[in-house]
Amino acid sequence: FGRVEITDGLWLAGKANYFDLKVGDYEGRIIDADAGIEWKFSRNFGVGANYRILEYRLDADRDDYAGTIRYRFTGPSIYAFATF
């Protein structure tokens, strides 16, 4: 995770998380990453925009079952926030 202030009230931020695990006949991973910009235009309020990648994957390789479960979301978002 990282965040840097470019100028007063304008921030660049990003994060990346990766988790991979294999247990017996099962193998899975999680990827969660985003990068964006935030503008805090007053003491308590701001707006932001970012791009996010989120992926879950589970593979099974057994004699009675072989398959994959996969979920993937990628895309932009805009938001408003309040701090107190």
Side-chain angles (χ1 to χ4, degrees):
F1 175 81
R3 185 175 168 176
V4 63
E5 187 173 22
I6 301 170
T7 185
D8 286 342
L10 189 63
W11 296 81
L12 286 177
K15 71 171 182 177
N17 296 295
Y18 180 83
F19 182 73
D20 195 339
L21 181 66
K22 183 173 183 174
V23 177
D25 297 327
Y26 300 95
E27 184 175 355
R29 76 171 181 217
I30 299 171
I31 299 170
D32 182 11
D34 68 53
I37 190 165
E38 290 184 345
W39 175 43
K40 194 170 180 183
F41 54 83
S42 74
R43 180 173 179 230
N44 298 100
F45 299 99
V47 292
N50 74 352
Y51 190 86
R52 184 171 186 191
I53 298 169
L54 178 62
E55 181 179 316
Y56 303 112
R57 182 178 179 137
L58 175 63
D59 297 314
D61 188 14
R62 299 170 41 129
D63 292 335
D64 58 344
Y65 175 78
T68 298
I69 298 171
R70 184 174 180 184
Y71 170 81
R72 183 177 173 100
F73 167 81
T74 61
S77 65
I78 56 172
Y79 55 91
F81 62 91
T83 59
F84 297 94

